[in-house]
Amino acid sequence: MKKLLFTIIILALAVLGAGCSSQSGDKKASGKESVTVKVGISGTDTRQWDYVAKKAKKEGINIEIVKFSDYVAPNTALAEGELDANAFQTVAYFDVFIKEHKLDLVPIATTVLAPMGIYSDKYKDVKDIPKGAKIAVPNDASNQGRALLLLQTAGLIKLAKDFDPNGSIDQVTENPKNIKFVQVAPAQTPRVLPDVAASVINNGVANDAGLKPLKDAIFHESKTATPYINIIAVNAKDKNNKTLKRIAELFQEEDTAKFIDKEYDGNLIPTFVPLKNIGW
């Protein structure tokens, strides 16, 4: 009886051991266990993260890309622990969102800038835009504020000192060329080009219209447009997590930048700056 009991115990331990072995079977050749990290993005374009994931895989980090169709769920999912990180939003959007929703999230790295541009069918330089000219700008708050900041950087207008990224036309304090602003839906900004001197078009809309900011715009955002640089965000408690920090490092390596430059042909600009440059 004792022998039978002993045999049953041994068999039971063997089964349990086999179960643990199968659960931890995803290991590197070195014997170190791999870890899976869920990164949320918005949209279906995973090219830059697929590239980073291949590099991470070699170090035992499995990046699982989780796609969302909006700009709210990736942050709430992160805050609720469904994601380990997300990478889809600009600094300006992030700062406003976490304040309004009282979320304890922080950025750990910058990634890319999707530059907004000033486009024209009539002029090759913003300096050539005449007095009294019409310039189309998006009519939604986030894009309009960004467009006005770009027009200020281009030297066409000046804005109030307390202007924020979601500001509007009524905060234009100086307009030496007496520019007439034509407010249109973002999707319409390329279509009105024949009717205006210039149009300020966001990156996604420009891309859909076959326009590339670095080639076709007469003026576009540069790396100094810090409110509009995209970031990798995590929960504050994870800001020093070694695995997440390593993923950020892999994204900011030179080969990743070269891949983005080639793959996106100027529609995205790799922009790796210290967190202090974006106010963190």
Side-chain angles (χ1 to χ4, degrees), residues 73-135:
N75 275 334
T76 55
L78 177 59
E80 292 169 3
E82 296 173 14
L83 300 172
D84 299 296
N86 67 37
F88 74 99
Q89 62 197 320
T90 64
V91 176
Y93 178 83
F94 175 78
D95 287 347
V96 171
F97 191 96
I98 62 170
K99 184 177 180 180
E100 288 182 349
H101 293 79
K102 298 178 181 179
L103 301 180
D104 196 15
L105 308 179
V106 297
I108 59 167
T110 61
T111 55
V112 296
L113 174 72
M116 176 176 271
I118 302 172
Y119 298 81
S120 176
D121 285 346
K122 302 175 178 66
Y123 305 101
K124 299 293 184 182
D125 194 303
V126 290
K127 295 178 181 178
D128 298 330
I129 294 175
K131 290 185 177 181
K134 293 180 179 180
I135 294 182

Side-chain angles (χ1 to χ4, degrees), residues 22 49 95 112-113 166 179 188 194 196 217-218 221 224 236 247 256:
S22 66
W49 277 101
D95 287 347
V112 296
L113 174 72
N166 294 311
I179 289 168
Q188 299 297 317
V196 296
I218 61 173
E221 289 173 337
T224 59
I247 289 173
T256 306

Side-chain angles (χ1 to χ4, degrees), residues 140-150 163-168 228:
D140 63 306
S142 60
N143 277 303
Q144 185 167 116
R146 185 172 182 174
L148 293 172
L149 283 169
L150 181 59
F163 187 86
D164 68 66
N166 294 311
S168 57
Y228 306 110

Side-chain angles (χ1 to χ4, degrees), residues 48-79:
Q48 55 191 305
W49 277 101
D50 287 339
Y51 184 84
V52 174
K54 288 180 181 178
K55 297 201 296 179
K57 185 81 171 179
K58 296 176 183 178
E59 299 187 14
I61 304 171
N62 297 318
I63 296 178
E64 180 182 333
I65 302 167
V66 183
K67 293 178 278 189
F68 295 85
S69 59
D70 64 16
Y71 293 101
V72 175
N75 275 334
T76 55
L78 177 59

Side-chain angles (χ1 to χ4, degrees), residues 17-279:
C20 292
S21 188
S22 66
Q23 289 174 6
S24 59
D26 188 11
K27 296 184 179 182
K28 295 171 63 179
S30 64
K32 291 180 65 177
E33 288 192 27
S34 62
V35 59
T36 296
V37 174
K38 291 184 178 181
V39 177
I41 66 167
S42 182
T44 59
D45 185 0
T46 63
R47 285 174 288 171
Q48 55 191 305
W49 277 101
D50 287 339
Y51 184 84
V52 174
K54 288 180 181 178
K55 297 201 296 179
K57 185 81 171 179
K58 296 176 183 178
E59 299 187 14
I61 304 171
N62 297 318
I63 296 178
E64 180 182 333
I65 302 167
V66 183
K67 293 178 278 189
F68 295 85
S69 59
D70 64 16
Y71 293 101
V72 175
N75 275 334
T76 55
L78 177 59
E80 292 169 3
E82 296 173 14
L83 300 172
D84 299 296
N86 67 37
F88 74 99
Q89 62 197 320
T90 64
V91 176
Y93 178 83
F94 175 78
D95 287 347
V96 171
F97 191 96
I98 62 170
K99 184 177 180 180
E100 288 182 349
H101 293 79
K102 298 178 181 179
L103 301 180
D104 196 15
L105 308 179
V106 297
I108 59 167
T110 61
T111 55
V112 296
L113 174 72
M116 176 176 271
I118 302 172
Y119 298 81
S120 176
D121 285 346
K122 302 175 178 66
Y123 305 101
K124 299 293 184 182
D125 194 303
V126 290
K127 295 178 181 178
D128 298 330
I129 294 175
K131 290 185 177 181
K134 293 180 179 180
I135 294 182
V137 295
N139 63 4
D140 63 306
S142 60
N143 277 303
Q144 185 167 116
R146 185 172 182 174
L148 293 172
L149 283 169
L150 181 59
L151 291 170
Q152 176 175 253
T153 303
L156 293 172
I157 60 172
K158 285 190 177 181
L159 301 167
K161 291 183 179 180
D162 60 350
F163 187 86
D164 68 66
N166 294 311
S168 57
I169 288 171
D170 58 8
Q171 289 181 279
V172 174
T173 57
E174 293 184 33
N175 185 1
K177 289 193 174 186
N178 193 29
I179 289 168
K180 311 299 182 186
F181 297 102
V182 181
Q183 302 182 62
V184 299
Q188 299 297 317
T189 48
R191 299 176 189 175
V192 298
L193 276 169
D195 305 315
V196 296
S199 184
V200 187
I201 308 174
N202 75 31
N203 187 274
V205 173
N207 188 40
D208 290 342
L211 299 170
K212 299 186 183 300
L214 302 192
K215 295 180 180 179
D216 302 316
I218 61 173
F219 195 85
H220 62 78
E221 289 173 337
S222 68
K223 294 181 180 181
T224 59
T226 51
Y228 306 110
I229 297 173
N230 283 262
I231 60 169
I232 299 173
V234 302
N235 281 290
K237 64 182 179 62
D238 295 326
K239 66 180 181 180
N240 294 316
N241 180 285
K242 291 182 179 180
T243 301
L244 297 177
K245 290 179 75 172
R246 181 55 185 153
I247 289 173
E249 290 170 354
L250 290 171
F251 197 108
Q252 292 190 336
E253 288 178 340
E254 185 178 351
D255 63 301
T256 306
K258 288 181 178 178
F259 171 82
I260 293 170
D261 282 333
K262 182 178 179 180
E263 188 71 17
Y264 291 90
D265 194 23
N267 281 324
L268 293 181
I269 302 173
T271 310
F272 310 149
V273 300
L275 294 178
K276 65 180 181 180
N277 289 22
I278 60 170

